[in-house]
């Protein structure tokens, strides 16, 4: 409630004592309502004397008019015998209802809309939590990732409407300025274990302010400008993440495959074991095939870890699941076995190295992709603006631009433009120009990843999803399979499973983790018929949550 009448008429757009347009409107509205009540009172007093034969004071008439217009009662005056007075009283009632609605619209609703937004009372008790100072990407993706992993947090959001929307959706959010000590105090910065800053050019100010409150915080800064990393570390950031640069580097590595480096090929490696994403393309032999018919059972060279089907991760995979185009198999095995499976799934033999690559979009991501490619790779860069390092100037969504970049002789196209619509159109146009081309694309919106595959991409990474996953990894302090995957791998003593075969030791399908293989004397055994013995090590794959549950069960 306002503390005084000045607060009631205060407008955020103007000071007091000067009157703004809204203040004048409110004063005029109050004057009109008062004039109507006075006029009604005079007429009612006259009607009661001349038509009803009741002579009472003007103040009594004023009280009756107010009661009638506010529909709170009529005192001792009702009923009225004169038809004219009954109609007049009904007219006052209708007028009162209309004025009531107008008062809500003109006075009451704007008053509450201008009240300061304080969502702190919605926060639950916090301790050892993460304070997120702004987040310029899709906030819901990050907060859902934290919720899934059980990470407690408070987000400070400077946009009041966005803060209220997120709070109404059940997230732990307050409205405030992360550069101010007051907002950090409301986020309980003194009890926090970590701080995430993604406030653009205000990152340095946010970090310095937070450090004055809690010097022992772990600080993670997110920036789209890698050149800011030294300065952010200087002011107190422990880790600086640049998602665009990381994604560009990963796309460049995927496009610049060579056999000697599994990481550069996009594979994860545990000893001699490789984990690879295998995309099921529309023209591949696996499209429409059930998992049980793919032939993993009894295969000693490869093992199915999980699969992304229709945007959902299955871990372990239901044998009856039918592989749709653009499904992604997560497979463990030897390099040759994975190459064979990828040839079947994609309809083409994966090349050991791309000799000619086009990089579309020479921003932070494009430059990182260019640097990740091998020196002997012939790289052509495309951007709509002429700048240093740009070979072809033009719109990447224009077929003529791609033809100028010699797309017909290229073996890979890396798309890292900032606009998702342009990226998807470029993918579709490139696919119409040549089908003998591997297309790798970055999209910002997580929901656009399936659309990128539909447009013809072979590999797609979402900035929102990668950013959220990177932050979750940094905050939890745990390593994962790769920075952009959802899986963790752990190697454990095989004693609890000794005497059983690998297939028989597999957990219940609802467990959310799988036994990938057995490591024995430096050799990896992936066949389900392998009998586990004391002294072996078992490699287990799962999400963060399911792996923790698995480790608790063993303990």
């Amino acid at each position: 409630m306002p503390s005084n009448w000045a607060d009631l008429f205060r407008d955020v757009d103007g000071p007091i004592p000067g009157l703004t347009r809204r203040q004048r409107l409110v004063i005029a509205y109050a004057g009109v309502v008062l004039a109507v009540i006075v006029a009604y009172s005079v007429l009612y007093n006259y009607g009661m004397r001349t038509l009803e034969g009741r002579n009472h004071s003007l103040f009594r008439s004023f009280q009756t008019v107010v009661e009638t217009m506010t529909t709170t009662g009529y005192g001792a005056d009702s009923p009225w015998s004169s038809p004219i007075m009954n109609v007049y009283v009904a007219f006052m009632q209708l007028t009162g209802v209309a004025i009531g609605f107008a008062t809500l619209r003109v006075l009451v609703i704007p008053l509450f809309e201008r009240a300061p937004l304080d969502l702190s009372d919605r926060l639950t008790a916090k301790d050892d939590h993460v304070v997120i100072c702004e987040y310029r990407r899709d906030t819901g993706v990050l907060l859902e990732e934290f919720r899934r992993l059980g990470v407690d947090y408070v987000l400070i959001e400077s946009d009041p409407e966005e803060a209220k929307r997120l709070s109404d959706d059940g997230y732990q959010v307050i409205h405030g300025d992360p550069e101010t000590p007051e907002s950090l105090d409301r986020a309980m910065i003194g009890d926090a274990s970590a701080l995430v800053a993604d406030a653009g050019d205000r990152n340095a100010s946010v970090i310095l302010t937070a450090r004055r409150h809690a010097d022992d915080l772990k600080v993670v800064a997110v920036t789209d400008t890698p050149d800011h990393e030294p300065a952010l570390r200087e002011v107190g950031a422990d880790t600086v993440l640049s998602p665009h640069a990381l994604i560009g580097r990963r796309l460049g590595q995927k496009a610049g495959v060579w056999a000697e480096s599994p990481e550069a090929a996009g594979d994860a490696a545990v000893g001699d074991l490789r984990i690879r994403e295998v995309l099921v393309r529309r023209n591949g032999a696996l499209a429409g095939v059930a998992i049980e018919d793919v032939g993993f059972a009894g295969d000693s060279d490869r093992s199915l870890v999980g699969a992304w089907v229709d945007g959902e991760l299955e871990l372990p995979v239901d044998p009856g699941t039918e592989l749709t185009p653009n499904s992604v198999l997560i497979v463990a095995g030897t390099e040759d076995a994975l190459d064979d499976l990828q040839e079947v799934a994609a309809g083409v033999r994966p090349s050991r190295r791309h000799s000619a690559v086009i990089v579309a979009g020479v921003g932070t991501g494009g430059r990182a992709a260019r640097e990740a490619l091998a020196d002997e790779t012939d790289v052509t860069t495309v951007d709509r603006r002429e700048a240093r390092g740009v070979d072809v100037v033009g719109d990447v969504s224009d077929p003529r631009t791609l033809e100028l970049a010699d797309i017909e002789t290229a073996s890979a196209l890396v798309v890292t433009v900032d606009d998702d619509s342009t990226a998807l159109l470029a993918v579709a146009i490139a696919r119409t120009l040549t089908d003998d081309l591997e297309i790798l694309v970055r999209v910002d919106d997580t929901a656009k990843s399936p659309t990128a595959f539909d447009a013809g991409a072979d590999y797609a990474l979402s900035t929102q999803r990668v950013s959220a996953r990177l932050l979750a990894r940094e905050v939890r302090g745990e390593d994962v399979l790769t920075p952009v995957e959802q899986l963790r791998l752990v190697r454990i003593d095989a004693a609890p499973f000794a005497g059983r075969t690998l297939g028989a030791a597999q957990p219940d399908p609802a467990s959310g983790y799988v036994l990938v293989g057995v490591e024995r004397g430096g050799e990896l055994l992936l066949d389900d018929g392998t009998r586990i013995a004391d002294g072996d090590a078992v490699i287990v794959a799962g999400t963060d949550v399911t792996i923790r549950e698995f480790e608790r069960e063993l303990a």
Side-chain angles (χ1 to χ4, degrees):
M1 293 296 293
S3 59
N4 52 51
W5 285 105
D7 287 337
L8 180 65
F9 292 100
R10 185 184 302 275
D11 192 298
V12 293
D13 297 323
I16 289 179
L19 295 179
T20 66
R21 180 176 178 274
R22 169 169 169 74
Q23 291 167 349
R24 292 195 297 270
L25 173 64
V26 171
I27 293 173
Y29 176 78
V32 169
V33 172
L34 180 61
V36 168
I37 293 174
V38 171
Y40 281 4
S41 299
V42 172
L43 289 174
Y44 180 81
N45 186 267
Y46 176 78
M48 290 298 290
R49 283 189 292 107
T50 59
L51 299 176
E52 297 291 328
R54 305 183 207 178
N55 189 13
H56 51 58
S57 70
L58 185 61
F59 292 104
R60 169 70 181 274
S61 297
F62 173 80
Q63 175 188 351
T64 304
V65 167
V66 172
E67 291 174 344
T68 302
M69 293 182 67
T70 57
T71 67
T72 57
Y74 306 104
D77 285 356
S78 62
W80 295 271
S81 58
S82 168
I84 295 178
M85 285 302 296
N86 279 283
V87 171
Y88 179 64
V89 170
F91 174 74
M92 286 195 298
Q93 291 173 328
L94 295 174
T95 304
V97 172
I99 290 176
F101 280 115
T103 302
L104 285 173
R105 179 66 186 88
V106 173
L107 188 61
V108 179
I109 293 176
L111 177 64
F112 282 97
E113 286 178 343
R114 285 164 170 75
L117 183 65
D118 187 0
L119 304 172
S120 303
D121 56 346
R122 299 184 183 182
L123 297 180
T124 58
K126 304 293 178 189
D127 185 30
D128 202 31
H129 59 291
V130 180
V131 176
I132 309 168
C133 296
E134 302 281 14
Y135 190 66
R136 297 178 300 155
R137 288 142 238 279
D138 190 319
T139 312
V141 175
L142 173 65
L143 300 186
E144 277 302 315
E145 187 74 20
F146 278 9
R147 176 185 290 178
R148 185 179 67 82
L149 296 175
V151 176
D152 208 4
Y153 65 89
V154 176
L155 169 66
I156 303 176
E157 173 58 58
S158 60
D159 183 345
E161 294 300 324
E162 179 69 2
K164 186 175 185 307
R165 182 188 70 80
L166 290 168
S167 181
D168 291 343
D169 288 342
Y171 298 114
Q172 298 287 282
V173 181
I174 62 172
H175 169 245
D177 182 355
E179 294 181 82
T180 63
E182 294 78 14
S183 294
L184 292 173
D185 286 338
R186 287 168 52 218
M188 295 165 278
I189 190 72
D191 298 322
S193 61
L195 176 134
V196 172
D198 185 21
D201 292 340
R202 298 190 295 156
N203 270 349
S205 175
V206 169
I207 294 170
L208 289 168
T209 305
R211 283 293 188 201
R212 291 179 66 88
H213 277 63
D215 189 53
D216 58 345
L217 277 176
K218 177 180 181 179
V219 176
V220 181
V222 185
T223 178
D224 291 330
T225 310
D227 293 343
H228 288 176
E229 179 173 349
L232 292 175
R233 289 189 179 276
E234 180 67 24
V235 298
D238 299 299
T239 304
V240 180
L241 302 177
S242 180
H244 281 179
L246 183 142
I247 292 175
R249 190 177 307 115
R250 178 71 186 276
L251 294 178
Q253 290 171 344
K254 292 284 286 185
V257 179
W258 65 88
E260 294 88 340
S261 174
E263 291 78 12
D267 296 349
V270 181
D272 293 331
L273 178 69
R274 292 192 177 198
I275 310 288
R276 181 182 298 177
E277 299 169 334
V278 177
L279 175 69
V280 178
R281 291 186 60 176
R282 288 184 292 270
N283 57 346
L286 296 185
V289 176
I291 289 291
E292 59 190 355
D293 297 327
V294 175
F296 287 105
D299 195 326
S300 60
D301 293 323
R302 61 193 176 203
S303 175
L304 181 62
V305 177
W308 288 95
V309 182
D310 295 330
E312 297 293 332
L313 175 62
E314 291 193 19
L315 187 72
V317 185
D318 183 348
T321 297
E322 182 178 299
L323 295 175
T324 58
N326 299 324
S327 297
V328 178
L329 301 176
I330 303 172
V331 187
T334 63
E335 180 184 359
D336 289 339
L338 296 182
D339 285 349
D340 291 340
L341 178 64
Q342 189 166 347
E343 180 180 9
V344 175
V348 295
R349 182 72 179 178
S351 60
R352 297 269 45 85
R353 186 197 299 272
H354 287 293
S355 57
V357 177
I358 299 174
V359 177
V362 192
T364 299
R367 289 193 296 271
R370 173 66 184 88
E371 292 169 1
L373 290 163
D375 292 337
E376 53 268 36
T377 303
D378 183 11
V379 180
T380 303
T381 55
V382 179
D383 200 280
R384 63 171 64 243
R385 295 175 183 168
E386 185 173 358
R388 182 181 178 183
V390 177
D391 299 318
V392 177
V393 178
D395 186 353
V396 71
S397 61
D398 186 341
R400 291 171 295 184
T401 301
L402 294 176
E403 290 170 353
L404 284 173
D406 208 8
I407 193 172
E408 291 184 357
T409 61
S411 56
L413 169 66
V414 177
V415 181
T416 61
V417 296
D418 291 331
D419 181 69
D420 284 353
S421 299
T422 302
L424 295 176
L425 181 56
V427 170
I429 290 175
R431 188 56 74 199
T432 62
L433 294 176
T434 174
D435 195 50
D436 188 21
L437 180 76
E438 185 175 11
I439 302 178
L440 308 95
V441 61
R442 182 198 79 203
V443 291
D444 288 329
D445 188 351
T446 300
K448 289 294 196 307
S449 295
T451 310
F453 289 123
D454 293 338
D458 298 292
Y459 190 77
L461 289 177
S462 161
T463 304
Q464 296 171 357
R465 176 61 64 191
V466 170
S467 301
R469 191 70 195 106
L470 283 169
L471 284 174
R473 183 192 67 172
E474 291 296 336
V475 166
R476 289 187 61 84
E478 295 181 356
D479 199 6
V480 290
L481 179 62
T482 69
V484 292
E485 299 299 341
Q486 295 293 313
L487 300 181
R488 284 183 60 207
L489 286 180
V490 294
R491 182 190 284 104
I492 64 167
D493 184 5
F497 307 99
R500 287 184 284 173
T501 64
L502 184 60
Q506 290 293 344
D508 183 88
S511 65
Y513 62 88
V514 295
L515 306 186
V516 177
V518 175
E519 191 175 51
R520 177 181 299 162
E523 182 183 3
L524 286 166
L525 306 173
L526 304 177
D527 191 339
D528 284 346
T530 300
R531 189 164 296 278
I532 304 172
D534 285 328
D536 291 344
V538 175
I539 298 174
V540 185
T543 64
D544 288 330
V545 174
T546 58
I547 287 294
R548 286 202 308 273
E549 182 63 30
F550 170 74
E551 291 172 336
R552 279 196 294 267
E553 289 176 2
L554 286 185

